[in-house]
Amino acid sequence: MELEGETISLMLHRSLHNKRIHVPVFFSILLCLLSACSEQDKVDIRSVLDARDAAVSNHDIKSYAGLLISGYEYNNQTEFEIINKMRGLFNQFEKIEMTSDNRTIRLLDDQHAECEQSYLLHVQANGEWRQINQRERISLTKTDSGWKISGGL
């Protein structure tokens, strides 16, 4: 990948040095650069969503709260209400196992994304296991500290 970056950089430098940029070459370079950014963003978003699964499975409210954008508000539910709802879930069930799959991530622009995914929630209460399988759409926003969940919970 580094070799490709060096080649692209060299091509762009030569074109600029010669004061002539071939439009198709320029757009090819731009597309390559944007595509690489898009893929890295998707990798980062998957990490956030996987961290959410882990936080729920481990009853880790601090990690869960850290995944939400500061000032989260969606469908009349604030960050505070979402965190309290999750605390209630942790208190209600002895064990929780959350897994997500069948993800589709769409980058809406360089700061916003949307993920549709299915999740399976296994919960244990009074020694009895139950499960919930649902589809969800989560909004994410890129901040200075990385991607954060900004809607859909």
Side-chain angles (χ1 to χ4, degrees), residues 1-136:
M1 194 68 164
E2 188 62 39
L3 181 60
E4 288 176 10
E6 288 178 23
T7 304
I8 291 170
S9 177
L10 184 60
M11 287 172 47
L12 186 56
H13 176 71
R14 284 183 183 161
S15 294
L16 290 173
H17 182 68
N18 293 335
K19 299 199 183 203
R20 60 186 167 103
I21 296 178
H22 299 288
V23 173
V25 171
F26 177 74
F27 282 112
S28 294
I29 292 168
L30 185 61
L31 184 60
C32 286
L33 293 173
L34 291 175
S35 175
C37 290
S38 298
E39 283 309 309
Q40 184 59 52
D41 284 330
K42 287 182 179 182
V43 167
D44 295 343
I45 289 168
R46 282 186 205 99
S47 293
V48 169
L49 298 169
D50 290 343
R52 176 181 169 232
D53 288 353
V56 171
S57 296
N58 294 317
H59 287 210
D60 187 348
I61 198 68
K62 185 176 179 181
S63 293
Y64 185 86
L67 299 171
L68 303 180
I69 195 164
S70 180
Y72 177 102
E73 188 167 337
Y74 183 81
N75 279 348
N76 296 320
Q77 288 194 327
T78 66
E79 178 181 9
F80 179 76
E81 291 168 324
I82 292 293
I83 292 169
N84 276 340
K85 185 168 80 171
M86 191 55 61
R87 261 194 197 106
L89 190 71
F90 291 167
N91 289 333
Q92 182 179 359
F93 298 106
E94 299 153 13
K95 292 183 183 178
I96 301 174
E97 296 173 1
M98 182 175 184
T99 56
S100 302
D101 65 3
N102 197 18
R103 282 186 185 146
T104 303
I105 298 172
R106 285 183 295 284
L107 297 171
L108 305 176
D109 57 35
D110 61 340
Q111 299 293 313
H112 301 93
E114 187 175 81
C115 174
E116 286 187 48
Q117 67 179 8
S118 298
Y119 70 88
L120 180 61
L121 199 63
H122 280 100
V123 295
Q124 184 184 37
N126 301 325
E128 193 173 313
W129 284 94
R130 300 178 193 129
Q131 72 178 33
I132 301 165
N133 190 7
Q134 292 196 350
R135 190 103 177 121
E136 65 182 349

